[in-house]
Amino acid sequence: MKTKPVLCAADVDAILAGARAEAVANGWAVTIAVADDGGHLLGLARLDGAAPLSSYIGPEKARTSALGRRESKVYEDIINQGRTAFLSAPMVQGMLEGGVPIVIDGQVIGAVGVSGVKSDQDAQIARAGIASWQASLA
């Protein structure tokens, strides 16, 4: 039997706090979502001023990243390079940059999805949340 780490509530809170700090420092109104490795939503923070639609897009980016075990930008790139049939792939609706997997010891244990600003800025916020949390583990 294999074992792997899983995200607990304190981990989710720490990731959300780190991502929120990055967004606030840049004046960005976004929604931040944290999902487990199965793409199930564990935590959500919609910052003041974030568009209501971002509260749907952020979790989908996190789900896509968690289920695909890679950044959601990979799927955006696949589609932009002409493979539009990939739009029919099941269970992945957040095929835009801004979903970043959480990897511990080579295992994807979840993902962060952010929506509300430019896609590369969404990814920056997600990575900042993960990095802040990982630094607190050291």
Side-chain angles (χ1 to χ4, degrees), residues 81-101:
Q81 292 167 6
R83 191 165 180 216
T84 56
F86 200 80
L87 290 168
S88 66
M91 300 298 298
V92 286
Q93 297 176 11
M95 293 184 276
L96 302 166
E97 184 176 8
V100 178

Side-chain angles (χ1 to χ4, degrees), residues 33-81:
V34 179
D36 67 10
D37 63 338
H40 305 100
L41 187 63
L42 297 175
L44 180 84
R46 183 172 151 208
L47 279 57
D48 293 342
L53 183 59
S54 68
S55 65
Y56 291 94
I57 297 172
E60 289 302 327
K61 288 181 180 183
R63 176 177 320 196
T64 296
S65 180
L67 291 174
R69 308 293 194 247
R70 59 187 45 92
E71 291 204 21
S72 57
K73 182 180 185 333
V74 169
Y75 301 111
E76 181 178 6
D77 291 344
I78 288 170
I79 294 162
N80 287 340
Q81 292 167 6

Side-chain angles (χ1 to χ4, degrees), residues 11-25 28-35 41-48 50-62 98-100 102 111-117 121-130:
D11 299 321
V12 173
D13 291 344
I15 292 166
L16 288 172
R20 181 190 309 259
E22 180 72 12
V24 169
W28 295 332
V30 297
T31 295
I32 306 156
V34 179
L41 187 63
L42 297 175
L44 180 84
R46 183 172 151 208
L47 279 57
D48 293 342
L53 183 59
S54 68
S55 65
Y56 291 94
I57 297 172
E60 289 302 327
K61 288 181 180 183
V100 178
I102 303 166
V112 179
V114 179
S115 178
V117 287
Q121 295 167 333
D122 289 342
Q124 175 184 328
I125 295 165
R127 285 189 201 99
I130 296 166

